[in-house]
mmCIF file of all heavy atoms in Angstrom:
data_model
loop_
_atom_site.group_PDB
_atom_site.id
_atom_site.type_symbol
_atom_site.label_atom_id
_atom_site.label_comp_id
_atom_site.label_asym_id
_atom_site.label_seq_id
_atom_site.Cartn_x
_atom_site.Cartn_y
_atom_site.Cartn_z
ATOM 1 N N GLY A 1 -25.059 11.512 15.233
ATOM 2 C CA GLY A 1 -24.211 11.044 14.149
ATOM 3 C C GLY A 1 -24.841 11.326 12.790
ATOM 4 O O GLY A 1 -24.465 10.771 11.731
ATOM 5 N N ILE A 2 -26.022 11.936 12.754
ATOM 6 C CA ILE A 2 -26.748 12.101 11.623
ATOM 7 C C ILE A 2 -26.506 13.579 10.933
ATOM 8 O O ILE A 2 -26.982 14.505 11.499
ATOM 9 C CB ILE A 2 -28.277 11.882 11.758
ATOM 10 C CG1 ILE A 2 -28.541 10.548 12.380
ATOM 11 C CG2 ILE A 2 -29.011 12.030 10.426
ATOM 12 C CD1 ILE A 2 -30.025 10.316 12.879
ATOM 13 N N SER A 3 -25.937 13.587 9.846
ATOM 14 C CA SER A 3 -25.763 14.887 9.097
ATOM 15 C C SER A 3 -26.998 15.106 8.312
ATOM 16 O O SER A 3 -27.590 14.293 7.723
ATOM 17 C CB SER A 3 -24.536 14.817 8.157
ATOM 18 O OG SER A 3 -23.317 14.826 8.967
ATOM 19 N N VAL A 4 -27.427 16.400 8.191
ATOM 20 C CA VAL A 4 -28.646 16.719 7.528
ATOM 21 C C VAL A 4 -28.234 17.673 6.377
ATOM 22 O O VAL A 4 -27.589 18.665 6.568
ATOM 23 C CB VAL A 4 -29.535 17.473 8.471
ATOM 24 C CG1 VAL A 4 -30.852 17.921 7.739
ATOM 25 C CG2 VAL A 4 -29.993 16.560 9.685
ATOM 26 N N HIS A 5 -28.738 17.222 5.179
ATOM 27 C CA HIS A 5 -28.499 18.048 4.011
ATOM 28 C C HIS A 5 -29.893 18.544 3.547
ATOM 29 O O HIS A 5 -30.753 17.826 3.186
ATOM 30 C CB HIS A 5 -27.851 17.188 2.846
ATOM 31 C CG HIS A 5 -26.383 16.877 3.123
ATOM 32 N ND1 HIS A 5 -25.622 16.546 2.095
ATOM 33 C CD2 HIS A 5 -25.767 16.769 4.228
ATOM 34 C CE1 HIS A 5 -24.363 16.239 2.549
ATOM 35 N NE2 HIS A 5 -24.477 16.342 3.901
ATOM 36 N N TYR A 6 -30.002 19.901 3.533
ATOM 37 C CA TYR A 6 -31.329 20.445 3.323
ATOM 38 C C TYR A 6 -31.491 20.896 1.878
ATOM 39 O O TYR A 6 -30.501 21.400 1.281
ATOM 40 C CB TYR A 6 -31.458 21.720 4.207
ATOM 41 C CG TYR A 6 -31.981 21.505 5.638
ATOM 42 C CD1 TYR A 6 -31.248 21.872 6.706
ATOM 43 C CD2 TYR A 6 -33.275 20.943 5.803
ATOM 44 C CE1 TYR A 6 -31.667 21.695 7.968
ATOM 45 C CE2 TYR A 6 -33.729 20.785 7.133
ATOM 46 C CZ TYR A 6 -32.905 21.127 8.164
ATOM 47 O OH TYR A 6 -33.328 21.026 9.480
ATOM 48 N N PHE A 7 -32.655 20.681 1.402
ATOM 49 C CA PHE A 7 -33.065 21.104 0.038
ATOM 50 C C PHE A 7 -34.436 21.817 0.100
ATOM 51 O O PHE A 7 -35.316 21.511 0.986
ATOM 52 C CB PHE A 7 -33.187 19.882 -0.912
ATOM 53 C CG PHE A 7 -31.871 19.235 -1.090
ATOM 54 C CD1 PHE A 7 -31.522 18.107 -0.289
ATOM 55 C CD2 PHE A 7 -30.872 19.637 -2.003
ATOM 56 C CE1 PHE A 7 -30.328 17.467 -0.431
ATOM 57 C CE2 PHE A 7 -29.691 19.036 -2.187
ATOM 58 C CZ PHE A 7 -29.363 17.906 -1.311
ATOM 59 N N ALA A 8 -34.631 22.767 -0.859
ATOM 60 C CA ALA A 8 -35.821 23.653 -0.797
ATOM 61 C C ALA A 8 -37.085 22.844 -1.464
ATOM 62 O O ALA A 8 -36.862 22.300 -2.595
ATOM 63 C CB ALA A 8 -35.633 24.890 -1.548
ATOM 64 N N PHE A 9 -38.176 22.831 -0.746
ATOM 65 C CA PHE A 9 -39.339 22.309 -1.408
ATOM 66 C C PHE A 9 -40.504 23.206 -0.970
ATOM 67 O O PHE A 9 -41.274 22.792 -0.048
ATOM 68 C CB PHE A 9 -39.674 20.849 -1.071
ATOM 69 C CG PHE A 9 -40.695 20.265 -1.888
ATOM 70 C CD1 PHE A 9 -40.332 19.654 -3.129
ATOM 71 C CD2 PHE A 9 -42.051 20.155 -1.474
ATOM 72 C CE1 PHE A 9 -41.441 19.169 -3.906
ATOM 73 C CE2 PHE A 9 -43.048 19.609 -2.203
ATOM 74 C CZ PHE A 9 -42.738 19.104 -3.440
ATOM 75 N N PRO A 10 -40.661 24.399 -1.482
ATOM 76 C CA PRO A 10 -41.777 25.240 -1.132
ATOM 77 C C PRO A 10 -43.099 24.585 -1.497
ATOM 78 O O PRO A 10 -43.311 24.395 -2.713
ATOM 79 C CB PRO A 10 -41.550 26.542 -1.893
ATOM 80 C CG PRO A 10 -40.670 26.241 -2.995
ATOM 81 C CD PRO A 10 -39.827 25.008 -2.434
ATOM 82 N N ARG A 11 -43.925 24.454 -0.584
ATOM 83 C CA ARG A 11 -45.172 23.602 -0.854
ATOM 84 C C ARG A 11 -46.076 24.304 -1.863
ATOM 85 O O ARG A 11 -46.847 23.587 -2.606
ATOM 86 C CB ARG A 11 -45.971 23.280 0.459
ATOM 87 C CG ARG A 11 -45.223 22.400 1.356
ATOM 88 C CD ARG A 11 -45.867 22.304 2.754
ATOM 89 N NE ARG A 11 -45.772 23.601 3.424
ATOM 90 C CZ ARG A 11 -46.427 23.987 4.502
ATOM 91 N NH1 ARG A 11 -47.161 23.052 5.060
ATOM 92 N NH2 ARG A 11 -46.236 25.162 5.046
ATOM 93 N N ALA A 12 -46.062 25.663 -1.890
ATOM 94 C CA ALA A 12 -46.925 26.329 -2.869
ATOM 95 C C ALA A 12 -46.267 26.513 -4.219
ATOM 96 O O ALA A 12 -46.870 27.087 -5.093
ATOM 97 C CB ALA A 12 -47.215 27.746 -2.234
ATOM 98 N N GLY A 13 -45.087 25.922 -4.406
ATOM 99 C CA GLY A 13 -44.487 25.934 -5.683
ATOM 100 C C GLY A 13 -43.228 26.855 -5.694
ATOM 101 O O GLY A 13 -43.048 27.713 -4.833
ATOM 102 N N ALA A 14 -42.366 26.649 -6.718
ATOM 103 C CA ALA A 14 -41.106 27.399 -6.718
ATOM 104 C C ALA A 14 -41.312 28.885 -6.960
ATOM 105 O O ALA A 14 -40.443 29.734 -6.690
ATOM 106 C CB ALA A 14 -40.242 26.781 -7.858
ATOM 107 N N ASP A 15 -42.427 29.274 -7.694
ATOM 108 C CA ASP A 15 -42.716 30.641 -8.024
ATOM 109 C C ASP A 15 -43.470 31.296 -6.995
ATOM 110 O O ASP A 15 -43.889 32.508 -7.128
ATOM 111 C CB ASP A 15 -43.422 30.730 -9.391
ATOM 112 C CG ASP A 15 -42.467 30.222 -10.536
ATOM 113 O OD1 ASP A 15 -41.347 30.419 -10.417
ATOM 114 O OD2 ASP A 15 -43.090 29.578 -11.475
ATOM 115 N N SER A 16 -43.788 30.632 -5.921
ATOM 116 C CA SER A 16 -44.684 31.320 -4.772
ATOM 117 C C SER A 16 -43.780 32.263 -4.082
ATOM 118 O O SER A 16 -42.540 32.308 -4.191
ATOM 119 C CB SER A 16 -45.231 30.182 -3.910
ATOM 120 O OG SER A 16 -44.119 29.540 -3.233
ATOM 121 N N ASP A 17 -44.370 33.009 -3.134
ATOM 122 C CA ASP A 17 -43.656 33.930 -2.329
ATOM 123 C C ASP A 17 -42.616 33.178 -1.495
ATOM 124 O O ASP A 17 -41.471 33.623 -1.343
ATOM 125 C CB ASP A 17 -44.522 34.779 -1.444
ATOM 126 C CG ASP A 17 -45.417 35.779 -2.155
ATOM 127 O OD1 ASP A 17 -44.974 36.165 -3.314
ATOM 128 O OD2 ASP A 17 -46.443 36.177 -1.639
ATOM 129 N N VAL A 18 -43.061 32.094 -0.921
ATOM 130 C CA VAL A 18 -42.140 31.216 -0.142
ATOM 131 C C VAL A 18 -40.977 30.763 -0.964
ATOM 132 O O VAL A 18 -39.817 30.750 -0.568
ATOM 133 C CB VAL A 18 -42.906 30.037 0.549
ATOM 134 C CG1 VAL A 18 -41.903 29.095 1.201
ATOM 135 C CG2 VAL A 18 -43.925 30.559 1.555
ATOM 136 N N GLY A 19 -41.363 30.327 -2.219
ATOM 137 C CA GLY A 19 -40.278 29.846 -3.140
ATOM 138 C C GLY A 19 -39.255 30.956 -3.416
ATOM 139 O O GLY A 19 -38.055 30.684 -3.477
ATOM 140 N N LYS A 20 -39.701 32.177 -3.589
ATOM 141 C CA LYS A 20 -38.837 33.228 -3.932
ATOM 142 C C LYS A 20 -37.977 33.607 -2.711
ATOM 143 O O LYS A 20 -36.811 33.980 -2.862
ATOM 144 C CB LYS A 20 -39.656 34.532 -4.276
ATOM 145 C CG LYS A 20 -40.386 34.402 -5.680
ATOM 146 C CD LYS A 20 -41.290 35.511 -6.042
ATOM 147 C CE LYS A 20 -42.036 35.283 -7.339
ATOM 148 N NZ LYS A 20 -43.034 36.334 -7.625
ATOM 149 N N ASN A 21 -38.593 33.445 -1.470
ATOM 150 C CA ASN A 21 -37.776 33.715 -0.286
ATOM 151 C C ASN A 21 -36.767 32.630 -0.111
ATOM 152 O O ASN A 21 -35.608 32.932 0.311
ATOM 153 C CB ASN A 21 -38.690 33.721 0.927
ATOM 154 C CG ASN A 21 -39.487 35.017 1.149
ATOM 155 O OD1 ASN A 21 -39.073 36.072 0.619
ATOM 156 N ND2 ASN A 21 -40.547 35.019 1.774
ATOM 157 N N MET A 22 -37.059 31.381 -0.513
ATOM 158 C CA MET A 22 -36.107 30.381 -0.393
ATOM 159 C C MET A 22 -35.001 30.513 -1.357
ATOM 160 O O MET A 22 -33.746 30.174 -1.154
ATOM 161 C CB MET A 22 -36.729 28.973 -0.448
ATOM 162 C CG MET A 22 -37.812 28.716 0.665
ATOM 163 S SD MET A 22 -38.323 27.023 0.758
ATOM 164 C CE MET A 22 -37.099 26.250 1.751
ATOM 165 N N GLN A 23 -35.372 31.020 -2.588
ATOM 166 C CA GLN A 23 -34.303 31.297 -3.648
ATOM 167 C C GLN A 23 -33.344 32.368 -3.060
ATOM 168 O O GLN A 23 -32.133 32.345 -3.266
ATOM 169 C CB GLN A 23 -34.942 31.801 -4.890
ATOM 170 C CG GLN A 23 -34.047 32.328 -5.948
ATOM 171 C CD GLN A 23 -33.130 31.148 -6.548
ATOM 172 O OE1 GLN A 23 -33.514 29.988 -6.396
ATOM 173 N NE2 GLN A 23 -32.006 31.487 -7.112
ATOM 174 N N SER A 24 -33.912 33.315 -2.264
ATOM 175 C CA SER A 24 -33.042 34.357 -1.624
ATOM 176 C C SER A 24 -32.009 33.720 -0.702
ATOM 177 O O SER A 24 -30.892 34.034 -0.595
ATOM 178 C CB SER A 24 -33.933 35.399 -0.946
ATOM 179 O OG SER A 24 -34.599 36.213 -1.839
ATOM 180 N N ILE A 25 -32.550 32.751 0.122
ATOM 181 C CA ILE A 25 -31.720 32.085 1.132
ATOM 182 C C ILE A 25 -30.584 31.355 0.360
ATOM 183 O O ILE A 25 -29.442 31.457 0.814
ATOM 184 C CB ILE A 25 -32.562 31.014 1.855
ATOM 185 C CG1 ILE A 25 -33.545 31.722 2.816
ATOM 186 C CG2 ILE A 25 -31.612 30.128 2.798
ATOM 187 C CD1 ILE A 25 -34.569 30.809 3.441
ATOM 188 N N TRP A 26 -30.925 30.670 -0.729
ATOM 189 C CA TRP A 26 -29.894 29.844 -1.446
ATOM 190 C C TRP A 26 -28.927 30.757 -2.194
ATOM 191 O O TRP A 26 -27.867 30.309 -2.695
ATOM 192 C CB TRP A 26 -30.542 28.899 -2.270
ATOM 193 C CG TRP A 26 -30.466 27.510 -1.795
ATOM 194 C CD1 TRP A 26 -29.563 26.540 -2.146
ATOM 195 C CD2 TRP A 26 -31.316 26.864 -0.805
ATOM 196 N NE1 TRP A 26 -29.801 25.385 -1.351
ATOM 197 C CE2 TRP A 26 -30.875 25.582 -0.504
ATOM 198 C CE3 TRP A 26 -32.422 27.351 -0.102
ATOM 199 C CZ2 TRP A 26 -31.482 24.706 0.365
ATOM 200 C CZ3 TRP A 26 -33.064 26.485 0.777
ATOM 201 C CH2 TRP A 26 -32.642 25.146 1.006
ATOM 202 N N SER A 27 -29.268 32.080 -2.403
ATOM 203 C CA SER A 27 -28.465 32.984 -3.286
ATOM 204 C C SER A 27 -27.388 33.777 -2.544
ATOM 205 O O SER A 27 -26.584 34.343 -3.122
ATOM 206 C CB SER A 27 -29.428 33.905 -4.016
ATOM 207 O OG SER A 27 -30.337 33.292 -4.837
ATOM 208 N N VAL A 28 -27.511 33.735 -1.195
ATOM 209 C CA VAL A 28 -26.501 34.483 -0.450
ATOM 210 C C VAL A 28 -25.279 33.729 -0.095
ATOM 211 O O VAL A 28 -25.314 32.519 -0.211
ATOM 212 C CB VAL A 28 -27.155 35.089 0.895
ATOM 213 C CG1 VAL A 28 -28.330 35.974 0.538
ATOM 214 C CG2 VAL A 28 -27.643 33.975 1.751
ATOM 215 N N ALA A 29 -24.214 34.431 0.303
ATOM 216 C CA ALA A 29 -22.941 33.794 0.529
ATOM 217 C C ALA A 29 -23.031 32.835 1.802
ATOM 218 O O ALA A 29 -22.512 31.649 1.790
ATOM 219 C CB ALA A 29 -21.866 34.859 0.771
ATOM 220 N N ASP A 30 -23.676 33.395 2.842
ATOM 221 C CA ASP A 30 -23.811 32.572 4.032
ATOM 222 C C ASP A 30 -25.218 31.931 4.170
ATOM 223 O O ASP A 30 -26.153 32.494 4.757
ATOM 224 C CB ASP A 30 -23.556 33.445 5.341
ATOM 225 C CG ASP A 30 -23.432 32.558 6.561
ATOM 226 O OD1 ASP A 30 -23.793 31.383 6.532
ATOM 227 O OD2 ASP A 30 -22.906 33.129 7.542
ATOM 228 N N ARG A 31 -25.434 30.887 3.477
ATOM 229 C CA ARG A 31 -26.801 30.201 3.367
ATOM 230 C C ARG A 31 -27.264 29.761 4.724
ATOM 231 O O ARG A 31 -28.423 29.902 4.997
ATOM 232 C CB ARG A 31 -26.685 29.079 2.440
ATOM 233 C CG ARG A 31 -26.461 29.475 0.997
ATOM 234 C CD ARG A 31 -26.351 28.227 0.129
ATOM 235 N NE ARG A 31 -26.219 28.547 -1.284
ATOM 236 C CZ ARG A 31 -25.908 27.554 -2.265
ATOM 237 N NH1 ARG A 31 -25.721 26.335 -1.909
ATOM 238 N NH2 ARG A 31 -25.748 27.958 -3.535
ATOM 239 N N LYS A 32 -26.342 29.159 5.421
ATOM 240 C CA LYS A 32 -26.784 28.643 6.756
ATOM 241 C C LYS A 32 -27.370 29.769 7.740
ATOM 242 O O LYS A 32 -28.352 29.554 8.365
ATOM 243 C CB LYS A 32 -25.633 27.967 7.471
ATOM 244 C CG LYS A 32 -25.361 26.524 6.853
ATOM 245 C CD LYS A 32 -24.186 25.871 7.536
ATOM 246 C CE LYS A 32 -24.579 25.319 8.895
ATOM 247 N NZ LYS A 32 -23.563 24.365 9.490
ATOM 248 N N ALA A 33 -26.716 30.844 7.684
ATOM 249 C CA ALA A 33 -27.189 31.971 8.539
ATOM 250 C C ALA A 33 -28.510 32.468 8.094
ATOM 251 O O ALA A 33 -29.352 32.700 8.926
ATOM 252 C CB ALA A 33 -26.181 33.093 8.445
ATOM 253 N N ALA A 34 -28.706 32.488 6.780
ATOM 254 C CA ALA A 34 -30.056 32.948 6.203
ATOM 255 C C ALA A 34 -30.996 31.880 6.484
ATOM 256 O O ALA A 34 -32.209 32.237 6.779
ATOM 257 C CB ALA A 34 -29.830 33.198 4.732
ATOM 258 N N PHE A 35 -30.667 30.675 6.386
ATOM 259 C CA PHE A 35 -31.659 29.528 6.714
ATOM 260 C C PHE A 35 -32.092 29.480 8.091
ATOM 261 O O PHE A 35 -33.296 29.498 8.372
ATOM 262 C CB PHE A 35 -30.800 28.199 6.295
ATOM 263 C CG PHE A 35 -31.671 27.064 6.269
ATOM 264 C CD1 PHE A 35 -32.407 26.681 5.185
ATOM 265 C CD2 PHE A 35 -31.785 26.163 7.358
ATOM 266 C CE1 PHE A 35 -33.186 25.554 5.087
ATOM 267 C CE2 PHE A 35 -32.584 24.999 7.333
ATOM 268 C CZ PHE A 35 -33.336 24.687 6.193
ATOM 269 N N ASP A 36 -31.136 29.675 9.016
ATOM 270 C CA ASP A 36 -31.486 29.667 10.451
ATOM 271 C C ASP A 36 -32.403 30.880 10.697
ATOM 272 O O ASP A 36 -33.303 30.761 11.485
ATOM 273 C CB ASP A 36 -30.178 29.767 11.295
ATOM 274 C CG ASP A 36 -29.430 28.528 11.301
ATOM 275 O OD1 ASP A 36 -29.934 27.431 11.049
ATOM 276 O OD2 ASP A 36 -28.146 28.513 11.541
ATOM 277 N N ASN A 37 -32.097 32.025 10.111
ATOM 278 C CA ASN A 37 -32.789 33.254 10.355
ATOM 279 C C ASN A 37 -34.303 33.012 9.879
ATOM 280 O O ASN A 37 -35.223 33.433 10.650
ATOM 281 C CB ASN A 37 -32.149 34.332 9.521
ATOM 282 C CG ASN A 37 -32.790 35.730 9.840
ATOM 283 O OD1 ASN A 37 -32.781 36.087 11.018
ATOM 284 N ND2 ASN A 37 -33.205 36.433 8.874
ATOM 285 N N ALA A 38 -34.448 32.338 8.796
ATOM 286 C CA ALA A 38 -35.831 32.149 8.269
ATOM 287 C C ALA A 38 -36.643 31.253 9.242
ATOM 288 O O ALA A 38 -37.823 31.503 9.451
ATOM 289 C CB ALA A 38 -35.876 31.485 6.887
ATOM 290 N N TYR A 39 -35.945 30.231 9.782
ATOM 291 C CA TYR A 39 -36.682 29.315 10.684
ATOM 292 C C TYR A 39 -36.949 29.863 12.001
ATOM 293 O O TYR A 39 -37.740 29.362 12.826
ATOM 294 C CB TYR A 39 -35.875 27.967 10.752
ATOM 295 C CG TYR A 39 -36.134 27.080 9.658
ATOM 296 C CD1 TYR A 39 -35.535 27.211 8.329
ATOM 297 C CD2 TYR A 39 -37.116 26.134 9.715
ATOM 298 C CE1 TYR A 39 -35.847 26.418 7.335
ATOM 299 C CE2 TYR A 39 -37.441 25.276 8.658
ATOM 300 C CZ TYR A 39 -36.764 25.478 7.425
ATOM 301 O OH TYR A 39 -37.086 24.713 6.307
ATOM 302 N N LYS A 40 -36.303 31.034 12.329
ATOM 303 C CA LYS A 40 -36.610 31.730 13.577
ATOM 304 C C LYS A 40 -37.724 32.774 13.365
ATOM 305 O O LYS A 40 -38.190 33.388 14.292
ATOM 306 C CB LYS A 40 -35.335 32.488 14.094
ATOM 307 C CG LYS A 40 -34.263 31.606 14.526
ATOM 308 C CD LYS A 40 -33.000 32.414 14.891
ATOM 309 C CE LYS A 40 -31.833 31.477 15.318
ATOM 310 N NZ LYS A 40 -30.532 32.239 15.574
ATOM 311 N N GLY A 41 -38.236 32.797 12.111
ATOM 312 C CA GLY A 41 -39.362 33.637 11.858
ATOM 313 C C GLY A 41 -39.022 35.013 11.487
ATOM 314 O O GLY A 41 -39.835 35.965 11.411
ATOM 315 N N ASN A 42 -37.635 35.345 11.334
ATOM 316 C CA ASN A 42 -37.281 36.665 10.975
ATOM 317 C C ASN A 42 -37.413 36.983 9.424
ATOM 318 O O ASN A 42 -37.623 36.033 8.644
ATOM 319 C CB ASN A 42 -35.710 36.841 11.327
ATOM 320 C CG ASN A 42 -35.537 36.706 12.832
ATOM 321 O OD1 ASN A 42 -36.379 37.018 13.621
ATOM 322 N ND2 ASN A 42 -34.379 36.174 13.231
ATOM 323 N N SER A 43 -37.324 38.214 9.091
ATOM 324 C CA SER A 43 -37.546 38.563 7.731
ATOM 325 C C SER A 43 -36.364 38.113 6.874
ATOM 326 O O SER A 43 -35.260 37.898 7.405
ATOM 327 C CB SER A 43 -37.672 40.119 7.592
ATOM 328 O OG SER A 43 -36.506 40.727 8.078
ATOM 329 N N ILE A 44 -36.623 37.848 5.567
ATOM 330 C CA ILE A 44 -35.586 37.344 4.678
ATOM 331 C C ILE A 44 -35.256 38.413 3.663
ATOM 332 O O ILE A 44 -36.147 39.077 2.994
ATOM 333 C CB ILE A 44 -36.192 36.174 3.976
ATOM 334 C CG1 ILE A 44 -36.554 34.995 4.856
ATOM 335 C CG2 ILE A 44 -35.191 35.615 2.945
ATOM 336 C CD1 ILE A 44 -37.352 33.857 4.335
#
């Protein structure tokens, strides 16, 4: 019964490579699909 609302916090900073990749995730129409894809280790 716990809903999870995710927010980006790239540990190396918003301008890091991870930060830029997370910006890509948040910029697409289907964010959840891109988010799941990233956590599976697939390319972004």
Side-chain angles (χ1 to χ4, degrees):
I2 305 170
S3 292
V4 178
H5 291 202
Y6 277 117
F7 298 91
F9 193 85
R11 293 169 296 169
D15 294 327
S16 65
D17 288 341
V18 172
K20 291 173 183 176
N21 282 337
M22 296 193 86
Q23 175 67 20
S24 293
I25 293 170
W26 257 262
S27 298
V28 298
D30 192 346
R31 293 176 179 174
K32 282 180 77 171
F35 190 85
D36 289 336
N37 191 53
Y39 278 82
K40 290 174 182 176
N42 298 327
S43 59
I44 300 169

